Structures are given as structure tokens and as C-alpha cells.
Amino acid sequence: MQDDDLRSSSNVEDRRGMGGIARGGLGLGAVAVLTLIGWATGIDPSVLIGGAEMVTQQTQGTPQVVPRGTPNDEIGRFAAKVLGETEDVWAQILPQQAGRQYQNPVLVLFSDITNSGCGTAQSAMGPFYCPVDHKLYLDTAFFRDMQQKLGGGGQFAYAYVIAHEVGHHVQNLLGLLGRVQQAQESGNGRAASDASVRTELMADCLAGVWAHHMNIRHQNIDETDIRQAVATASAIGDDRLARQSGRVAMPDSFTHGTSAQRVQWLTTGLRSGTVKACNTFGG
Ligand SMILES: [Zn+2]
């Protein structure tokens, strides 16, 4: 993936190295593994579902005031470019395809731990989107873990992770995130899990839609990039992670969908380039 032509977003809050609460007794290896499992098995839904109670925490916590801009290091610059391209693509296609104006989210880069509008953000949770403050939270160490522990990696695979979280922001702007909460409030665990999986798969598809349009604008991804992202999507399916951790893969416990489902929806978005094709709630 070439990122030379991408505009850097200035909507990045760089909180790395700002310290925070001590992490306790977990070893680094355990944290890294938890990070991967956390991302693939449910931090976004739990954040979404827990939205209401977490607002309370927001008022109690001390908000961190961090100036926004574009980081200077390699990974920070890359994240800012990917974010900038999501801003440009979604500002163009959301009005065209869904009749809504796009509002830019903020990308918070942090190390280990930080505060979010949805409660404390920790590396172990993996990247997530907080619908309360419209911010994406990412510990960039996650990219290193993808590479080392999942055999994933590659720039487009990292871009896909950011684009997936931006996909949740698009869902939020479209008023689609309430479905998970409604299902949860109904007390029907199966319905809640189902809504959560559909929400995650739609975010994968929306990441694909973004990549489709980025490639029209810049011709900057090739088959190898797509294979890497698909390999990543496949590696972080709930079924694969369950097997890797020695658990039995139980579809009812999935919150992100199986490897095959994730690959299918990412590919659907990539091929079609349309939000409409991402209606995971339709079938
Ligand atoms: Zn997600």
C-alpha cells in the first residue's frame, strides 16, 4: 500500500508516553495476547452496550486535554494519513450514498492506558470506537502484535484496522449502533450476540468500501495488500481465536463473526464500494 498521496489528518490526539494508571501484575506477553483476543472478541460491543453506565464514569474522570495535530513518528504519521483518507472518502461518499454529512472523528493514540468517554481504555482491549465521544482509541503496539502473533501485518492490514473502527463511526452517524443496545436491553442474549456480530461484520464491509474508493482515488493497493488484509480478517475471526486459545468455538459466543464471515464482508465492501451492499442486517 502506497501512502505518499494521502493527506494527513490533523484530528489525531497523541497521548503516547503520557503515562496513566499502573497496569498491575500482568506480564507483557499476557497483555499482548489479551490485546488480540480483546479486539477480536468483543471490546466494541461491550463498549457500545455499556455506553450508558460509562457516561457516568466520564463525568467522574478527569478528561485529558491533549492538543490535536499530526504525529511525527512513522507509525503516527501513517495512522494520520489513513485517518485523513477516511475523512476525504467518507465526506465524499456518505452524502452521495446515504444522504448524510460526514463528521470527522478523532483518533486517540495511546500507550498502555488512557481515559475515554466510554471508560478507561487499556491496550488489552484492543482498538475500539467510543460512540459517546466520537473517538477511535488505538495503542499502536497492536500493529506490532498483529505482525508477531497473527502472522498478519502489512500497511494495508493496519489501515483496515483503523478503517474498521471508522466503520463503527459511520454506523453511529447513520444511527445504527442503537440496535445492539436495544437487543441487549431486551434481555435476549442470543439476539444481542447476533446484533453484535452483524454490527462488526458491517464495520468490516464499510472498511472495504473505504478501501475501494481510496484505490479509485490513488491506485495505491494491489492484490498482495488485499491478501494481507483478508489474511488478517481471517486470523482474527472469533472461531480461529477460540481454537488458538484452546477453547471450543461456539458460534453463540461470537461477537465479531467467524473468519469466513469477516473475509466475506470485507470482500463485499471492497468489490462493491457501496454502503448499501453492507446491509448485514438484511439477510
Ligand atoms: Zn469492531
Side-chain angles (χ1 to χ4, degrees), residues 163-177:
H164 171 100
E165 301 309 332
V166 171
H168 286 311
H169 177 63
V170 170
Q171 291 174 315
N172 195 15
L173 295 178
L174 294 176
L176 295 173
L177 289 183

Side-chain angles (χ1 to χ4, degrees), residues 23 25-35 112 144-145 149:
R23 193 166 49 199
L26 280 179
L28 279 177
V31 170
V33 171
L34 281 173
T35 302
D112 299 331
R144 188 197 58 215
D145 294 337
K149 305 222 187 297

